Amino acid sequence: MCGIVGIVDAGGVSFPLYYALYALQHRGQESAGISTFEGTALYTHKASGLVAEVFNSHILQGLRGNAGIGHVRYPTTGSKVPENVQPFNFRYQGLNLSIAHNGNLVNTAELREEYERRGQIFCTTSDTEIIGNIIADALRTSKGMEDAVRLCMRRLRGSYAAVALLNDTVYAFRDPLGIKPLCIGRLDRGYILASESVAIDALDGTFVRDVRPGELVRIDEHGLSSVQIATANRTAHCIFEYIYFARADSVIDGTLVYDVRRRIGQKLYDADPVVADTACPVPDSGIAYAAGYAERSGIPFVEGLMKNRYMGRTFIMPTQEQRERAVRIKLNIVRGNLKDKQVVLVDDSIVRGTTSRRIVNMIRDAGAKEIHLRVGSPPIVAPCYLGVDMPTRAELIASGRDIEGVRESIGATSLTYIPLGDLVEAIGCGEGNLCTGCLTGCYPVDIHGEKSCHAIVDYVAGTHQSDLSAFRTGKQQT
């Protein structure tokens, strides 16, 4: 669940890339990187750490050029080593290629083995290097980037939204099922491609539209154009983007995430009404859920947990020990709002259960009489292979336990999950257009040993289609 951004801007891109990555920091806390191009040179700076720790004004001034890409990493494939920090750079026959990727391939091992047999040497353990090598290899014989990406997309299986910098041109493409989000924005002197619309907002840009599943978008000094590489008979947007990962103020595939979460909160009350004194969110992701719950129930919205704003997201910390230690630092009790109260505690999801158990214990220790836990996702019963670091089935608290068993383990007075049908209705695009693998155990791509409900994908010999007229007039292309 990394964050990616690509910008072409006549005024320079290093600082805009920095601000965009800052807006996408919630998508990855392990590392950050930027690559830019000017003249004949590719400039890159990347390192482990948060965006504000990796970059400063002096470094950004050295990243020269009007075209560039950036990345914040949340590791799902590849170990936590410096070699895996993106973007990755490739040089061949006068071409400078830099690439960054959000998602997770499920055929990485077989592709790596194939290219190693052909003599290719890999420097990282990341699946992004596989994508870069396929494109770089295809550029040797193809007519250009469009053909190279078409060949690449035919080889990849899994989820991917990618940005690539080929000399002074930025490209972006999205898997044919649209599993990972990617959108387009217009800036005063250029264009931006980003994982979420909040990166466009950070630059005071104008949201144009989402990159279509299977589409290749190109931006350079002359403007923006696109071509459809592949089409599928369905989409499979990641349902966890709406549940947790995306920022609430983002627009994902045409839907404001805050509105989805507010509707989920309303449906949580409808699913199992309870008498209580307060509706208390687990911040920050539970706030919109609790607002909707309070709106529908008439139970006052009261913050009983206060978040340390300088803490990152505990879910995406790499080890369980770090996650548990961070909960107490991240959240503090507002005792006066909880003592002797019947509390509805509203959260986005329960994965391992350890964080929920600790929060319930904190609220009980503060003197709450009852704690009714309401959860904005159905039980998570299966791993995610497509870009969210869901653990094995053995580590998932809802795998092998019924709801009463989960409630007993966590220690809540009562526990209600939103039904899957209600969740899909709140999102508004239909279950057949969402990836629900972690909730159902049925995945939209073929994964060894797992149940598949895969889509049919066709690769089209598309004609290059210019979007310039629509963008210049401010009209959204549909």
Side-chain angles (χ1 to χ4, degrees), residues 157-380:
R157 192 169 76 248
S159 67
Y160 52 91
V163 289
L165 178 65
L166 184 62
N167 288 350
D168 60 354
T169 302
V170 170
Y171 294 88
F173 55 96
R174 192 178 182 194
D175 71 69
L177 301 182
I179 299 173
K180 296 304 172 198
L182 192 61
C183 62
I184 304 168
R186 185 173 59 248
L187 306 175
D188 284 344
R189 293 182 285 181
Y191 293 96
I192 175 174
L193 298 146
S195 294
E196 294 183 37
S197 61
V198 290
I200 302 170
D201 298 337
L203 301 179
D204 198 25
T206 301
F207 175 81
V208 175
R209 64 173 175 87
D210 295 286
V211 175
R212 300 183 187 94
E215 183 181 25
L216 171 66
V217 176
R218 166 186 170 135
I219 52 176
D220 59 20
E221 62 180 348
H222 303 295
L224 186 149
S225 57
S226 71
V227 61
Q228 194 69 35
I229 299 291
T231 60
N233 64 338
R234 56 164 291 193
T235 59
H237 304 317
C238 173
I239 203 166
F240 218 63
E241 289 282 351
Y242 300 97
I243 293 169
Y244 173 79
F245 234 96
R247 258 177 50 174
D249 50 336
S250 283
V251 175
I252 298 289
D253 289 302
T255 301
L256 177 62
V257 175
Y258 186 93
D259 286 345
V260 170
R261 293 176 184 170
R262 184 176 55 82
R263 290 194 293 267
I264 290 171
Q266 295 170 346
K267 291 177 179 296
L268 272 171
Y269 176 76
D270 294 339
D272 188 12
V274 66
V275 176
D277 300 308
T278 64
C280 168
V282 176
D284 282 329
S285 51
I287 290 175
Y289 295 99
Y293 190 96
E295 178 183 326
R296 180 62 59 89
S297 67
I299 298 170
F301 176 100
V302 177
E303 291 187 85
L305 296 163
M306 200 58 60
K307 181 182 177 182
N308 181 339
R309 303 296 173 185
Y310 296 93
M311 278 290 295
R313 301 181 105 172
T314 55
F315 174 83
I316 64 175
M317 289 184 173
T319 69
Q320 184 60 35
E321 181 183 1
Q322 287 176 298
R323 285 188 290 268
E324 292 186 16
R325 187 186 304 120
V327 171
R328 191 73 203 193
I329 303 171
K330 178 181 179 179
L331 297 175
N332 195 34
I333 294 294
V334 186
R335 294 181 182 274
N337 290 346
L338 299 170
K339 184 174 174 57
D340 299 325
K341 297 291 197 308
Q342 296 169 301
V343 178
V344 175
L345 180 66
V346 189
D347 204 357
D348 57 85
S349 59
I350 303 175
V351 182
R352 300 166 181 88
T354 51
T355 298
S356 298
R357 187 181 304 116
R358 186 166 291 226
I359 291 172
V360 167
N361 288 338
M362 289 166 62
I363 292 175
R364 179 169 288 108
D365 291 344
K369 289 193 299 185
E370 297 177 357
I371 305 167
H372 302 279
L373 183 56
R374 298 296 181 262
V375 184
S377 74
I380 296 170

